[in-house]
Amino acid sequence: RFKIVINCAAMVDINYCEKKFKEVSIVNCKLVKFLSDMSKKFSFKFVQISTDHVYKGKKSKLNHEKSEIFAVNKYAKTKILAEKYLKKLKNFLIIRTNFTGKKKNSFIDWLIKSIENKKNINLFHDMYTSTIDVNSCAEIIIDLASLKSKGIYNLGSRNMTSKKNFAINVS
């Protein structure tokens, strides 16, 4: 018997999600529904790693847990659908986050390769994030799950930056 299950599985490549929505929905939605059903059946706490990508976002304002959510693309749509399954549970924790770590095909991986290869890149000046490093993110998620936290939590850095400024700071 598990006390806590943390679902970190997700297909997050935005372009892939746009092209293969049905395939992506299996991991990002159907798996979450299955785990939600198992949580009801076996009474374990279900922790879902979601995304800050569900927020419309405003340039000078951080989002909060009750901020309006919006499916800006198919990836965000799958995450919003997944959250609906969890909200039917009594014992759930949704972590909306955007973490950074060296991972194949991630934004930071693409950015570093582009810098190393001295490629010209287009950067997003109108897309904002409060990204957090993967190790800190994991530690906080485990702490929140262990402390019996429930509901929806935004997890990120205290400040936000545009993807463009983030990239400039990395370089």
Side-chain angles (χ1 to χ4, degrees):
R1 294 243 178 219
F2 300 108
K3 291 182 181 179
I4 300 169
V5 171
I6 301 173
N7 180 31
C8 302
M11 298 181 85
V12 299
D13 181 309
I14 304 298
N15 294 325
Y16 190 84
C17 291
E18 288 298 310
K19 294 175 191 167
K20 303 282 188 174
F21 181 74
K22 285 185 181 183
E23 184 179 320
V24 170
S25 293
I26 293 168
V27 175
N28 291 4
C29 298
K30 290 184 180 183
L31 174 62
V32 176
K33 181 181 183 325
F34 172 78
L35 291 171
S36 294
D37 292 343
M38 292 299 100
S39 177
K40 282 182 198 172
K41 184 175 181 178
F42 296 108
S43 299
F44 60 78
K45 178 182 213 151
F46 185 25
V47 180
Q48 172 66 17
I49 308 306
S50 192
T51 180
D52 67 352
H53 207 82
V54 300
Y55 295 116
K56 281 186 177 182
K58 293 193 170 121
K59 182 177 176 178
S60 60
K61 185 177 174 190
L62 287 169
N63 291 301
H64 55 82
E65 289 79 0
K66 296 200 185 270
S67 293
E68 180 183 1
I69 59 174
F70 180 74
V72 296
N73 54 35
K74 291 181 181 176
Y75 168 67
K77 182 176 182 176
T78 64
K79 297 307 246 177
I80 290 169
L81 290 170
E83 287 186 11
K84 286 183 181 182
Y85 296 124
L86 271 80
K87 290 176 183 176
K88 295 176 184 176
L89 300 174
K90 291 180 183 173
N91 198 14
F92 74 90
L93 178 60
I94 295 171
I95 306 292
R96 292 181 181 155
T97 190
N98 185 323
F99 53 86
T100 301
K102 185 87 170 92
K103 180 184 157 229
K104 187 178 178 186
N105 297 326
S106 66
F107 175 71
I108 192 81
D109 183 53
W110 168 81
L111 180 62
I112 290 168
K113 283 179 184 175
S114 297
I115 292 167
E116 288 172 349
N117 294 322
K118 298 182 182 183
K119 287 186 175 181
N120 287 333
I121 55 178
N122 293 321
L123 298 172
F124 306 98
H125 65 86
D126 59 348
M127 186 175 200
Y128 293 84
T129 186
S130 59
T131 208
I132 186 171
D133 73 278
V134 70
N135 291 332
S136 298
C137 185
E139 288 177 22
I140 294 168
I141 290 167
I142 291 167
D143 288 346
L144 285 170
S146 300
L147 292 171
K148 300 183 177 159
S149 303
K150 292 182 180 182
I152 299 171
Y153 286 76
N154 287 346
L155 178 55
S157 61
R158 97 178 44 155
N159 299 314
M160 69 176 158
T161 187
S162 70
K163 291 271 187 164
K164 178 181 178 181
N165 287 337
F166 178 83
I168 291 168
N169 288 328
V170 167
S171 62

